[in-house]
Amino acid sequence: MPAKLAEIVDDFASAPREVVLEMLLEFSDDVQPLPAEFAEHAGMEQVPECQTPFFLKTEVQPDDTVKTYFDCPPEAPTTRAFAGILADGLEGATTDEILAVPDDLYAKMGLAGTISPLRIRGGTAILGRLKRQIREQLS
């Protein structure tokens, strides 16, 4: 797992339960606007497991790092927070580092006691699709 993502996971896992939601909301602001090339979500994959419209795209770079793009409406702060955590934690990471991220990432963060299982399922699907896109580009 990339060091920056591991640090985020540790921060959440060790945080008092009453501040976890506030921490999540801070990450929802880390989702960058999409470049013009992805207008209307062109070339992006929708994640239907999310309760809200969520789109993602990964691009494996020549140096084996991965560029990620996420889009989710501001009205869905928890789902945007998942995207913000991944955007921040995976920035500059290699394909191997990202593929090594545990599938139960959100459980390791201790989020099960704070957010609904349905939202955790959506976050897990986001990570799963992101990893699948990377594997497809590598093969």
Side-chain angles (χ1 to χ4, degrees):
M1 177 177 346
K4 188 158 187 179
L5 184 59
E7 183 180 321
I8 293 168
V9 170
D10 289 345
D11 287 348
F12 272 92
S14 64
R17 190 170 178 193
E18 60 271 8
V19 300
V20 168
L21 195 53
E22 184 178 319
M23 290 170 64
L24 277 172
L25 294 177
E26 288 175 15
F27 275 99
S28 70
D29 295 334
D30 287 352
V31 180
Q32 298 298 309
L34 288 175
E37 67 193 88
F38 297 120
E40 307 287 321
H41 303 117
M44 299 185 82
E45 179 177 1
Q46 185 167 7
V47 181
E49 293 88 348
C50 291
Q51 290 181 293
T52 189
F54 188 98
F55 296 85
L56 71 92
K57 169 84 174 164
T58 63
E59 294 177 348
V60 175
Q61 305 298 301
D63 66 355
D64 196 47
T65 59
V66 178
K67 180 81 175 140
T68 58
Y69 303 93
F70 302 103
D71 193 42
C72 178
E75 302 82 40
T78 304
T79 306
R80 280 183 71 83
F82 289 142
I85 288 166
L86 293 175
D88 196 25
L90 301 179
E91 185 177 355
T94 66
T95 57
D96 285 343
E97 289 173 322
I98 295 173
L99 293 174
V101 172
D103 292 335
D104 63 345
L105 175 71
Y106 302 109
K108 290 187 181 309
M109 293 173 71
L111 296 179
T114 306
I115 58 175
S116 74
L118 197 54
R119 296 231 187 273
I120 297 252
R121 185 176 142 235
T124 301
I126 292 166
L127 178 60
R129 288 175 185 276
L130 185 148
K131 290 166 77 172
R132 183 188 43 73
Q133 285 186 15
I134 291 169
R135 284 199 267 318
E136 287 173 355
Q137 291 175 61
L138 293 175
S139 60

